[in-house]
């Protein structure tokens, strides 16, 4: 039976909060305020522990961490949890890596709350793509290299169901989320679509964190790059001419660049 609001009872608010790419200094002021005042935090596995440590000592934490082929809690159950807690009168900080509405399933959770009469606020975060590119000194757009940027997921609903035609190539930048495990299939897919095997790529692992790495190469060697250096999530793949450019004033002071 669907959960619905009781007009006679106070209802909490679900705050969909973007935790950014990892570095606590990149939180928005509003996100930091909500975290430091939170009594209940429902968080993803990619949220940095230093961010969780900002919460009050008496805050409740519920981890709903997801990894490839293994979820702590199914998405429908997460939706139910958020609604149930709010209907019980609790404000919920739903803390997500990056931005809630960029591959964060924030739209699904907002819809579930709205259907149950639960108020929702959305606090944008620096997306993983924006944070990773900035930390690596890669300008996703550049007058000499790219005027179009596309974001895609490397494993959502299977690569065969995704149409990437025209998303990468001259004057374009393609950013792939969740693509580490499918790097070989991504390479085959893009080359089959006509993309040059020599187009530059960059893999940014643990963006903005102390153990961040930036690995550079070309599309044909993407799978080997990921495998040889044992890249693990969280990591993003940036494909396009911008991936070969390097900003001397980069914030990537801790990055390891491998050519």
């Amino acid at each position: 039976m669907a959960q619905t609001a009781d007009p006679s009872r106070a209802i909490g608010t679900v705050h969909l909060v973007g935790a950014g790419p990892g570095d606590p200094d990149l939180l928005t002021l509003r996100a930091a305020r909500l975290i430091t005042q939170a009594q209940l935090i429902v968080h993803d596995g990619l949220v940095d522990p230093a961010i969780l440590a900002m919460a009050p000592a008496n805050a409740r934490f519920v981890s709903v961490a997801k990894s490839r082929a293994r979820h702590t809690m199914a998405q429908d159950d997460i939706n139910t949890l958020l609604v149930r807690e709010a209907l019980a009168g609790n404000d919920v900080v739903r803390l997500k890596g990056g931005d809630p509405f960029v591959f964060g399933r924030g739209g699904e959770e907002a819809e579930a709350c709205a259907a149950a009469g639960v108020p929702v606020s959305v606090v944008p975060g620096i997306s993983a793509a924006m944070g990773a590119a900035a930390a690596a000194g890669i300008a996703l757009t550049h007058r000499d290299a790219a005027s179009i940027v596309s974001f895609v997921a490397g494993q959502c609903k299977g690569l065969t169901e995704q149409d990437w035609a025209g998303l990468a190539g001259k004057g374009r930048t393609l950013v792939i989320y969740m693509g580490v495990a499918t790097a070989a299939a991504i390479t085959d897919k893009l080359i089959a679509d006509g993309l040059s095997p020599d187009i530059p790529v960059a893999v940014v692992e643990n963006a903005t964190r102390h153990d961040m790495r930036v690995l550079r190469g070309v599309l044909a060697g993407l799978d080997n790059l990921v495998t040889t250096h044992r890249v693990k999530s969280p990591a993003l793949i940036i494909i396009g001419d911008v991936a070969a450019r390097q900003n001397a004033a980069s914030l990537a002071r801790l990055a390891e660049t491998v050519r």
Side-chain angles (χ1 to χ4, degrees):
M1 184 177 177
Q3 303 175 87
T4 55
D6 180 350
S8 65
R9 187 173 186 174
I11 301 173
T13 297
V14 172
H15 302 281
L16 301 178
V17 179
D23 186 346
D25 284 348
L26 296 178
L27 288 169
T28 65
L29 292 175
R30 187 177 178 199
R33 176 174 57 79
L34 285 169
I35 293 167
T36 57
Q37 297 175 353
Q39 293 301 304
L40 172 59
I41 295 179
V42 179
H43 64 91
D44 288 344
L46 296 181
V47 176
D48 194 279
I51 292 176
L52 297 178
M54 295 169 59
N58 62 343
R60 283 194 292 142
F61 294 90
V62 179
S63 172
V64 292
K66 294 182 175 69
S67 62
R68 184 172 171 84
R70 183 176 63 82
H71 293 178
T72 302
M73 187 179 295
Q75 186 61 52
D76 285 347
D77 293 332
I78 296 174
N79 298 348
T80 299
L81 169 67
L82 299 177
V83 170
R84 182 175 67 244
E85 290 288 349
L87 292 181
N90 300 314
D91 289 336
V92 183
V93 172
R94 174 65 174 106
L95 200 55
K96 298 171 173 289
D99 180 274
F101 282 178
V102 181
F103 298 120
R105 299 191 178 182
E108 297 174 42
E109 294 172 3
E111 290 167 356
C113 290
V118 170
V120 175
S121 76
V122 180
V123 182
I126 294 177
S127 70
M130 299 302 186
I138 298 173
L140 295 180
T141 64
H142 192 290
R143 284 201 304 168
D144 298 330
S147 60
I148 298 173
V149 183
S150 298
F151 300 149
V152 299
Q155 65 185 48
C156 289
K157 296 185 179 180
L159 290 178
T160 57
E161 298 180 28
Q162 300 181 39
D163 181 5
W164 292 1
L167 296 185
K170 185 175 178 57
R172 299 170 182 264
T173 302
L174 179 63
V175 181
I176 303 175
Y177 285 67
M178 301 170 284
V180 170
T182 54
I186 287 169
T187 299
D188 292 343
K189 181 182 182 70
L190 291 173
I191 291 177
D193 283 345
L195 201 59
S196 170
D198 295 326
I199 193 168
V201 302
V203 179
V204 186
E205 179 187 63
N206 291 319
T208 77
R209 305 183 190 200
H210 73 279
D211 54 351
M212 170 178 157
R213 293 193 294 171
V214 182
L215 312 175
R216 298 176 190 265
V218 296
L219 179 59
L222 175 60
D223 184 47
N224 183 62
L225 192 69
V226 167
T227 302
T228 300
H229 296 284
R230 299 181 180 180
V231 176
K232 295 183 179 179
S233 182
L236 281 102
I237 300 168
I238 301 173
I239 300 176
D241 289 339
V242 297
R245 306 180 74 97
Q246 193 164 13
N247 181 355
S250 168
L251 298 179
R253 59 193 181 280
L254 301 177
E256 172 189 352
T257 301
V258 180
R259 293 185 183 277

